Every structure is written in C-alpha cells, then in structure tokens.
Amino acid sequence: MDRFDFPKPLVRVTAGPGGEAVLALCKEKTVLHDCGMACFHEELIKNIEKALDGRDLDYIVLSHSHYDHMGALPYLIERWPNVLVCGGKKSQEVFSRQGAKNTMLSMGKSAAQLYGKDPEQVHVDGIRIDIVLNDGDVLKLGENESITAIETKGHTDCSMTYLLKPYGILLLSESTGIVEETGNMHTSVLKSFEQTFDAAAKLKKLDFQYILVPHYGILDPQKNDTYFDTYIYEAKREKNLIEGWIKQGLSLDEIFEEHKKVYWNAVRAENHPYRAYKMNTEIIIKRMIAEQQK
C-alpha cells in the first residue's frame, strides 16, 4: 500500500516538509489534522481550498504544539476566521506563553531559511485553542461521525492522538514513533520514554483499521498488529543506549555524538531540520542525566 493512498474521507493536503496535514471530508463537518510549517502556508491553503471545493473548514485538531505541526495555524485562522481549533489543555497553556511563542517563531524562521522561503513572513500571531479536548473527549462531526481524543504523552505533555469514527482511522501523535520513507522507525521522545510505552500500550487496545503516522502517511494495514510492539522495542533500545552512555560517564555533547551515529542519516535529514533533531535529542538526554543523578 502506498503511504499516500489515504482512505476516505481523508485527503492529504500536506504542503512541504513537516508534519502531515490531513483533511477529513466528513458528511456534515470538515476537520483538518495538523497544519505543517508556517513557511508553506500559501501552498497549504491552496491545497485545502481545492479539497474543500466550496465547503467551509469547520475544525482543526492539533496533535501537539510544535512549530512543524501548528506553524501554519495563524494563516489558516486568517483564511477561515470561524474555524474552531481543538487541542489539549497543555497546548492552550503553551500558546499563552510568550517564551514558547518566541521558540515557535525562531524555529519557524529557521525552517523558512532552510527551505528557501522568506523568514520575515513567519509569525505566530493569533494562535489559539477554542475547544480543549481531554483524554476520552468526543468531538461530534455529525449523526454517525466523530473524533475521540486520546492523551498520549511522552513526546510532549500536550501530545494527543485522535480516532476518527466510524472509519477506524487512528491519527497518531509523535509519542509513538515516526516512520522513515525506508520503513525504519525512530522515536521522538522529549519528556519520558515510560509515558510513550504507556501510550503505545493504550493505543494497541483500540479498534482501528488504519494508522496515520506523523511525518510519514498511512501505514500498510498489514503492519497494524505489530506497529506498537515495534515502537516499544525500538524505544527501549534507544533508552538503553542513552542510559549506557550516561553510565560510561560521557558528557551531554559526547552522548549526542554517539546518538547521532546511530539515529541521524540522510533520509532523516531530508524531512527533519538538523537543528530540531539536535535540540530535541539533547532535551531527553538532559532529562535522563538528571534522573540518574537524583
């Protein structure tokens, strides 16, 4: 199965690198899951307008508050001012903090430069969460259609997965892994490996037919039964490697260099800015060093 062969009612509207932006054209309502980087907002809006074909954009649901998944949000709100933006309580808190918005702005501008776009067009004005979704909350989209929010911490505290019913489509957060074009999986843990293990175990129990993986697309359904077990295996391997380097007495910089030898490659570099990889990896290494020093 091609990873961009999305099942109905999904339409891929992704514009450029970054998180997948996927539109669900349900019978009564339309829902956009994530919106990618700010620097590709013009292409994204065109893709959405084409897919909507005259319909309105009713909802945006966010997997988390990182710049490569919500960067285009201000421009979508400008284009569809009545859209209702949904996400976790923590995302709402993040959007209210100037320091967090400054980081989003800085990362967004860096991405624009990397991909040959104008960094001066990047802004974070007007970002908001209109509907806070807690674990288990259901967003009604019509008589028989809905989205269930599932808290999946580990990548961030605000990470949310969504189950689109009755289609059985699981829209993952980054807490349960990212798949490369080659099919290799890597983790994206910033907060806690243990939280991601819990998230994977919880999602494995759900009734679903399709899995949308961040930065990848639709997983081959033949791999549904093994996906979350594979994630836990790979995450435990990475956790053990980092713990081993810490026990060897390696510094933060030395551990990062060892991590890079194992987990950074040309394929990953095509879809993930190095600055973001370095920053994210150093965050979890610092947390694990602090834990071992307690």
Side-chain angles (χ1 to χ4, degrees):
M1 177 179 180
D2 187 280
R3 64 192 177 106
F4 296 140
D5 185 14
F6 284 22
K8 292 182 179 180
L10 298 188
V11 177
R12 183 176 186 258
V13 291
T14 305
E20 286 291 315
V22 181
L23 185 66
L25 297 173
C26 296
K27 294 176 183 177
E28 295 184 29
K29 300 291 183 179
T30 62
V31 186
L32 180 70
H33 178 258
D34 280 352
C35 45
M37 296 185 187
C39 60
F40 295 105
H41 69 274
E42 292 180 349
E43 296 92 332
L44 176 68
I45 289 173
K46 289 179 181 178
N47 291 347
I48 294 172
E49 288 176 337
K50 180 179 179 180
L52 286 174
D53 192 25
R55 295 181 67 178
D56 204 0
L57 180 61
D58 297 303
Y59 296 102
I60 298 172
V61 294
L62 298 177
S63 65
H64 62 295
S65 58
H66 280 175
Y67 81 102
D68 56 334
H69 289 260
M70 52 61 60
L73 181 61
Y75 312 92
L76 298 182
I77 291 173
E78 291 170 0
R79 172 61 181 82
W80 290 279
N82 294 323
V83 69
L84 295 174
V85 184
C86 310
K89 178 65 175 176
K90 190 67 176 181
S91 286
Q92 188 180 56
E93 294 174 7
V94 170
F95 286 177
S96 71
R97 298 203 303 262
Q98 189 59 48
K101 289 193 284 188
N102 289 343
T103 299
M104 296 174 200
L105 184 62
S106 174
M107 296 299 288
K109 287 180 178 290
S110 292
Q113 291 178 321
L114 177 65
Y115 296 113
K117 297 286 188 175
D118 182 5
E120 295 307 313
Q121 289 190 6
V122 176
H123 71 84
V124 293
D125 302 336
I127 58 173
R128 66 178 195 242
I129 297 289
D130 300 303
I131 299 175
V132 171
L133 296 174
N134 297 305
D135 188 44
D137 283 353
V138 177
L139 181 67
K140 287 287 188 180
L141 303 175
E143 184 176 353
N144 298 310
E145 297 168 309
S146 65
I147 281 182
T148 300
I150 307 154
E151 188 176 73
T152 47
K153 292 183 178 181
H155 175 58
T156 65
D157 287 336
C158 61
S159 293
M160 302 289 285
T161 291
Y162 301 94
L163 180 59
L164 180 61
K165 297 180 179 180
Y167 308 101
I169 302 172
L170 200 56
L171 309 170
L172 296 185
S173 74
E174 285 190 36
S175 291
T176 48
I178 298 173
V179 178
E180 296 176 352
E181 293 179 23
T182 59
N184 294 330
M185 180 188 291
H186 61 80
T187 73
S188 187
V189 182
L190 294 176
K191 291 293 184 176
S192 163
F193 277 97
E194 284 72 19
Q195 285 180 333
T196 71
F197 300 153
D198 292 341
K202 177 164 63 173
L203 295 176
K204 182 182 176 181
K205 297 176 183 177
L206 299 179
D207 183 17
F208 56 86
Q209 294 179 286
Y210 300 97
I211 297 176
L212 176 69
V213 182
H215 298 277
Y216 178 75
I218 290 291
L219 187 74
D220 184 339
Q222 294 183 11
K223 298 181 179 179
N224 283 359
D225 291 341
T226 60
Y227 180 85
F228 294 110
D229 290 334
T230 300
Y231 170 75
I232 292 173
Y233 173 85
E234 293 293 342
K236 286 184 175 179
R237 173 175 176 260
E238 182 176 357
K239 179 175 181 286
N240 290 338
L241 283 172
I242 296 173
E243 287 177 340
W245 294 323
I246 295 172
K247 289 177 181 177
Q248 291 174 31
L250 272 60
S251 68
L252 170 64
D253 291 341
E254 290 170 332
I255 294 172
F256 173 73
E257 289 302 318
E258 292 300 318
H259 189 280
K260 187 168 67 172
K261 291 175 186 177
V262 179
Y263 291 104
W264 186 253
N265 56 50
V267 174
R268 191 168 182 179
E270 289 180 3
N271 298 286
H272 193 185
Y274 178 76
R275 179 188 173 191
Y277 160 72
K278 186 175 189 295
M279 183 176 71
N280 292 351
T281 302
E282 289 181 344
I283 287 173
I284 190 60
I285 293 171
K286 287 178 184 177
R287 288 183 184 277
M288 293 177 69
I289 290 174
E291 283 294 320
Q292 289 207 13
Q293 291 176 341
K294 285 183 179 179

